[in-house]
């Protein structure tokens, strides 16, 4: 049985989420709830859930205020938030899960399914999230990557390229290290496009800083690590334009 605590200052929102969990995730049991930062911190010091559903904005503070009180985050966090483009981007860079209000049942069940394959310890991811939210105008330099075994925080400038592998993405680094990550290439294209990355093929996203040459006769980009990346016919003209502007 998966255990959960709900912290939200709106009682109706907690009741609705509890009902959704009972209906769509019967293997989960709600073992506690609180209506704010102070009561939530007291509750979490007494009992530890597998998952914490946490509202961001509450009357006596924010969900971040609550987490800062705790000595360690050894449970899964799922933030509940209204639509906020910057906050959502920060969640995605840090690989912390979130649900938008009103909560969609399909997204709720998907978040619970992801819990089964991820570590409970979210301290490093939370620190990355805080840094991103506290410095909204600062370019992101770090990215949290979820593999089957662990979560790794990497430096974005160390990524040479990303390659699609079905519903997974394989990251290639300057150190020759590789990581197979449990998200699609499209997810990372959205995050990395502003960091100097470019989608040259349906299966390939490359860091333009590591391009060595474009061999037009082969429609192939050669990277500094020796890899040869095909350029799709549909993207060829755009790739040439991008290279001209580098």
């Amino acid at each position: 049985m998966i255990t959960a605590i709900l912290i939200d200052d709106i009682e109706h929102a907690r009741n609705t989420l509890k009902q959704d969990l009972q209906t769509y995730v019967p293997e989960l049991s709600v073992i506690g709830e609180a209506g704010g930062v102070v009561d939530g911190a007291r509750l979490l010091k007494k009992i530890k859930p597998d998952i914490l559903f946490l509202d961001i904005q509450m009357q006596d503070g924010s969900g971040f205020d609550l987490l800062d009180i705790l000595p360690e985050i050894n449970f899964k966090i799922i933030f509940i938030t209204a639509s906020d483009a910057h906050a959502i981007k920060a969640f995605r860079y840090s690989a912390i899960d979130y649900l938008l209000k009103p909560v969609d049942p399909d997204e709720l069940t998907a978040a619970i399914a992801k819990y089964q394959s991820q570590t409970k310890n979210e301290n490093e991811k939370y620190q990355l999230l805080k840094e991103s939210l506290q410095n909204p105008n600062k370019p992101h330099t770090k990215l949290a990557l979820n593999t089957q075994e662990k979560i790794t925080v990497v430096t974005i400038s160390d990524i040479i390229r990303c390659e699609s592998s079905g519903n997974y993405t394989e990251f290639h680094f300057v150190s020759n290290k590789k990581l197979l990550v449990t998200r699609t290439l499209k997810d990372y294209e959205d995050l990395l496009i502003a960091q100097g990355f470019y989608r040259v093929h349906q299966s390939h996203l490359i860091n333009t800083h590591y391009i060595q040459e474009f061999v037009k006769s082969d429609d192939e980009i050669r990277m500094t690590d020796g890899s040869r990346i095909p350029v799709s016919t549909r993207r060829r003209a755009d790739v040439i334009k991008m290279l001209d502007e580098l």
Side-chain angles (χ1 to χ4, degrees):
M1 179 69 72
I2 302 169
T3 60
I5 284 177
L6 319 182
I7 300 178
D8 191 315
D9 62 344
I10 300 174
E11 185 177 4
H12 174 69
R14 298 199 306 272
N15 290 337
T16 299
L17 181 56
K18 275 195 297 185
Q19 183 60 53
D20 286 343
L21 288 167
Q22 289 171 4
T23 302
Y24 301 106
V25 195
E27 68 272 24
L28 183 146
S29 174
V30 176
I31 58 172
E33 57 182 281
V37 171
V38 175
D39 288 344
R42 288 196 190 107
L43 180 62
L44 286 167
K45 286 177 180 178
K46 292 178 182 177
I47 54 175
K48 293 292 187 288
D50 294 317
I51 301 175
L52 170 65
F53 290 92
L54 181 61
D55 190 20
I56 289 187
Q57 293 298 334
M58 294 175 281
Q59 290 186 1
D60 62 345
S62 72
F64 306 115
D65 295 329
L66 186 153
L67 293 173
D68 286 341
I69 295 171
L70 304 176
E72 187 178 24
I73 303 170
N74 53 2
F75 43 78
K76 172 79 174 174
I77 307 167
I78 300 179
F79 280 102
I80 310 294
T81 179
S83 182
D84 180 325
H86 171 64
I88 289 170
K89 195 165 189 177
F91 287 136
R92 294 176 66 197
Y93 269 102
S94 60
I96 292 236
D97 285 324
Y98 66 93
L99 295 169
L100 291 176
K101 294 181 176 181
V103 175
D104 178 89
D106 289 338
E107 293 179 359
L108 176 61
T109 54
I112 301 301
K114 282 174 64 179
Y115 157 79
Q116 304 284 6
S117 62
Q118 294 179 355
T119 177
K120 294 181 185 178
N121 193 312
E122 307 234 296
N123 288 286
E124 194 170 17
K125 292 199 298 180
Y126 177 57
Q127 293 304 318
L128 182 56
L129 174 63
K130 276 206 309 180
E131 181 183 334
S132 177
L133 290 171
Q134 289 169 355
N135 301 280
N137 298 317
K138 182 180 177 181
H140 292 274
T141 59
K142 302 285 186 179
L143 179 66
L145 299 178
N146 270 315
T147 70
Q148 292 280 19
E149 299 82 23
K150 59 184 178 180
I151 295 160
T152 303
V153 176
V154 303
T155 301
I156 292 173
S157 61
D158 289 343
I159 303 167
I160 291 181
R161 61 188 182 91
C162 311
E163 183 173 351
S164 175
S165 180
N167 290 325
Y168 295 81
T169 301
E170 186 171 67
F171 279 73
H172 295 252
F173 298 89
V174 291
S175 62
N176 291 321
K177 177 182 175 182
K178 298 178 185 179
L179 281 178
L180 187 64
V181 180
T182 56
R183 283 172 63 183
T184 67
L185 187 63
K186 175 61 177 171
D187 289 332
Y188 292 108
E189 179 185 12
D190 293 342
L191 290 178
L192 296 174
I193 200 74
Q195 307 275 1
F197 286 72
Y198 200 88
R199 186 86 172 258
V200 298
H201 185 278
Q202 181 178 354
S203 299
H204 297 278
L205 178 69
I206 64 172
N207 187 338
T208 59
H209 296 99
Y210 294 106
I211 294 174
Q212 181 172 299
E213 60 185 1
F214 174 43
V215 182
K216 293 182 179 179
S217 59
D218 296 330
D219 280 340
E220 180 180 271
I221 284 180
R222 294 177 183 174
M223 307 295 286
T224 55
D225 67 342
S227 57
R228 300 183 174 192
I229 310 301
V231 174
S232 68
T233 302
R234 183 169 63 87
R235 299 174 190 264
R236 189 178 193 274
D238 289 336
V239 168
I240 291 173
K241 181 180 178 182
M242 176 271 293
L243 291 170
D244 285 340
E245 293 173 352
L246 282 179

